[in-house]
Amino acid sequence: VAACRDTGYDWFEQLLQNLLKSEEDASYKPVKKACTQLVDNLVEHILKYEESLSDSDNKGVNSGRLVACITTLFLFSKIRPQLMVKHAMTMQPYLTTKCSTQNDFMVICNVAKILELVVPLMEHPSETFLATIEEDLMKLIIKYGMTVVQHCVSCLGAVVNKVTQNYKFVWACFNRYYGALSKLKSQHQEDPNNTILTANKPALLRSLFTVGALCRHFDFDQEDFKGNSKVNIKDKVLELLMYFTKHSDEEVQTKAIIGLGFAFIQHPSLMFEQEVKTLYNSILSDKNCSVNLKIQVLKNLQTYLQEEDTRMQQADRDWKKVAKQEDLKEMGDISSGMSSSIMQLYLKQVLEAFFHTQSSVRHFALNVIALTLNQGLIHPVQCVPYLIAMGTDPEPSMRNKADQQLVEIDKKYAGFIHV
């Protein structure tokens, strides 16, 4: 795992998945036993490593090893979270790691990802343990940057939505950042050149990102959050974030678009709003528009499609457990019908981005189209000419990926491309 830090862990996940799947119906499960031993020993190794650090003066030594251990535990948790249930309480204190290096941040993010998968599976966890996790996560959300905020909000989503139902705690956090955004919007409306706004730019960027991240994992229009209030929170958030997409500072615009992307994962129907369609399509089609904004819109679409794919796979797994009490095809079609309609709105502009001069824009556009095709959301006839054109791209990786998509299409629709 340490050696593959830069190339990715897909192979390892696939290996674990295949090995464990192969013995699912067997009475003797050697792989499961081996995984349990590996996980238990890795946790023990981490604890011994911590002890050796407390005896040593060189606190920063070999922390790459610690990151690799915790990352490995996360990969096991991703495939079989039950393996880590008994170790959840051992992992929690790592959320209070003092962050000074990149490795420290990786420890926190991986521990948050482990707890997100494992805490909902614990039987009768102590209230103190759960309250400590919630408070640790909230401190991290308030203090650190985007990556930490993202993983900690995601973990908080799992803990609160599935276990503690401590909605007041999250509602207070949401209101803190939502209130800050409303105030900054009012100040900007009164005087866009107000020097206070320049001084408050870091707070504005953090608020845009955090409000979006919270909206991704919590539906604040539920009565659990807003009580009897008739205010439509998702529309209010949309209005606020849309306001800042028109800001003169590109960094502010980008964070507002990131926030919108998060909110659209919880409420995809917002992508049908006219102002959103106009925003996305104008950014993608305007040749003078900033490359960063184009990439961010494409990333938003990519994340939405990835999340939908994960959701569909989970629904499929859940359904198989429940046996055939529902019509699965119908259940899946409702969700994929929404995704398909959304992609039709932006398809033309995404395909046109195949010809952008910047390879990073072409890269994300191709990712979006690959996801769209793999999920069967559009008919390939709409994309084939563009994929063929991509075959002359100066970047070899792009040419290969376009060719791969054409081969897949040809397999699915036998002889379609030759025709």
Side-chain angles (χ1 to χ4, degrees):
V1 169
C4 294
R5 186 171 169 168
D6 299 325
T7 50
Y9 309 114
D10 288 355
W11 62 274
F12 185 62
E13 290 179 30
Q14 205 56 57
L15 175 71
L16 279 180
Q17 189 92 50
N18 293 345
L19 287 170
L20 286 160
K21 200 174 176 64
S22 67
E23 61 176 32
E24 250 171 18
D25 302 321
S27 53
Y28 175 55
K29 300 181 188 288
V31 177
K32 188 183 174 189
K33 187 181 175 185
C35 287
T36 306
Q37 290 173 335
L38 282 164
V39 165
D40 294 352
N41 276 286
L42 280 169
V43 173
E44 202 175 313
H45 177 80
I46 289 169
L47 293 172
K48 282 181 181 162
Y49 173 70
E50 284 293 299
E51 277 171 34
S52 70
L53 274 193
S54 58
D55 299 337
S56 133
D57 296 331
N58 193 356
K59 298 273 182 186
V61 71
N62 202 20
S63 62
R65 188 89 182 147
L66 176 67
V67 172
C69 280
I70 291 179
T71 306
T72 309
L73 288 172
F74 162 62
L75 295 171
F76 275 108
S77 306
K78 203 172 171 184
I79 306 303
R80 276 291 183 282
Q82 294 83 355
L83 294 167
M84 278 296 288
V85 168
K86 66 178 178 184
H87 301 299
M89 293 182 82
T90 309
M91 302 312 294
Q92 176 267 320
Y94 289 91
L95 288 176
T96 58
T97 304
K98 288 202 166 42
C99 287
S100 50
T101 67
Q102 184 59 32
N103 281 336
D104 298 333
F105 286 112
M106 287 187 75
V107 166
I108 280 185
C109 290
N110 278 308
V111 169
K113 289 194 281 187
I114 290 169
L115 293 172
E116 176 180 343
L117 294 163
V118 171
V119 173
L121 302 179
M122 293 172 77
E123 280 187 37
H124 314 299
S126 84
E127 287 186 18
T128 316
F129 166 69
L130 294 170
T132 309
I133 288 184
E134 287 178 341
E135 281 161 25
D136 289 346
L137 291 169
M138 194 59 77
K139 283 174 191 163
L140 292 165
I141 290 164
I142 290 164
K143 188 172 182 184
Y144 292 114
M146 286 197 298
T147 310
V148 173
V149 169
Q150 221 168 324
H151 291 305
C152 289
V153 170
S154 188
C155 183
L156 191 65
V159 173
V160 173
N161 289 326
K162 296 176 184 173
V163 187
T164 66
Q165 271 86 50
N166 190 358
Y167 300 117
K168 280 183 180 167
F169 185 67
V170 179
W171 182 240
C173 175
F174 171 74
N175 275 308
R176 172 185 181 151
Y177 289 106
Y178 178 83
L181 269 188
S182 299
K183 191 176 174 187
L184 289 163
K185 178 189 171 187
S186 303
Q187 288 173 341
H188 186 262
Q189 280 174 322
E190 282 168 28
D191 177 12
N193 304 315
N194 190 334
T195 50
I196 298 172
L197 290 167
T198 314
N200 283 336
K201 184 180 166 184
L204 171 57
L205 296 176
R206 176 175 284 279
S207 299
L208 288 166
F209 186 87
T210 311
V211 162
L214 287 164
C215 286
R216 174 179 182 169
H217 295 284
F218 299 97
D219 181 359
F220 291 109
D221 280 309
Q222 286 180 352
E223 206 174 298
D224 296 318
F225 289 107
K226 65 176 188 180
N228 299 325
S229 168
K230 294 283 182 280
V231 177
N232 188 317
I233 303 292
K234 72 173 189 292
D235 291 348
K236 288 283 182 193
V237 168
L238 178 67
E239 190 188 317
L240 260 183
L241 293 173
M242 284 301 297
Y243 178 80
F244 286 105
T245 60
K246 300 172 183 71
H247 199 279
S248 56
D249 185 322
E250 191 186 302
E251 209 180 343
V252 173
Q253 285 179 292
T254 306
K255 282 286 189 297
I257 291 169
I258 292 173
L260 283 172
F262 286 154
F264 296 160
I265 290 168
Q266 178 72 249
H267 302 288
S269 59
L270 291 175
M271 279 191 266
F272 295 111
E273 294 289 331
Q274 189 54 51
E275 54 183 340
V276 175
K277 288 193 285 190
T278 306
L279 174 76
Y280 270 23
N281 283 331
S282 62
I283 288 173
L284 290 173
S285 56
D286 183 356
K287 289 186 170 54
N288 302 317
C289 189
S290 137
V291 167
N292 290 336
L293 296 182
K294 285 184 191 293
I295 289 173
Q296 194 50 60
V297 167
L298 291 166
K299 274 185 181 173
N300 282 4
L301 291 171
Q302 177 181 308
T303 310
Y304 164 69
L305 290 169
Q306 286 165 337
E307 282 285 318
E308 275 303 301
D309 195 34
T310 309
R311 216 179 281 180
M312 292 295 289
Q313 285 175 16
Q314 187 57 49
D316 194 21
R317 281 195 294 273
D318 293 347
W319 177 80
K320 278 175 181 160
K321 282 180 198 165
V322 178
K324 295 175 181 179
Q325 292 168 4
E326 286 182 58
D327 178 359
L328 173 68
K329 181 147 182 26
E330 191 180 301
M331 183 176 70
D333 285 349
I334 296 164
S335 189
S336 59
M338 168 88 83
S339 308
S340 179
S341 306
I342 286 167
M343 285 320 298
Q344 290 294 349
L345 291 178
Y346 305 110
L347 185 65
K348 184 174 178 287
Q349 282 73 15
V350 174
L351 287 168
E352 291 298 333
F354 275 26
F355 305 114
H356 197 275
T357 51
Q358 290 277 345
S359 65
S360 49
V361 174
R362 300 199 300 276
H363 167 80
F364 283 107
L366 185 52
N367 280 356
V368 170
I369 293 302
L371 281 163
T372 309
L373 285 168
N374 293 343
Q375 291 178 38
L377 301 178
I378 52 172
H379 195 286
V381 74
Q382 295 168 280
C383 303
V384 167
Y386 292 89
L387 289 165
I388 292 170
M390 184 66 93
T392 60
D393 196 279
E395 302 269 336
S397 63
M398 230 85 86
R399 292 200 296 274
N400 293 341
K401 194 162 182 182
D403 285 347
Q404 204 182 334
Q405 287 301 316
L406 288 167
V407 169
E408 287 298 317
I409 292 169
D410 209 31
K411 264 191 227 163
K412 217 182 254 182
Y413 303 85
F416 172 75
I417 292 172
H418 304 305
V419 175

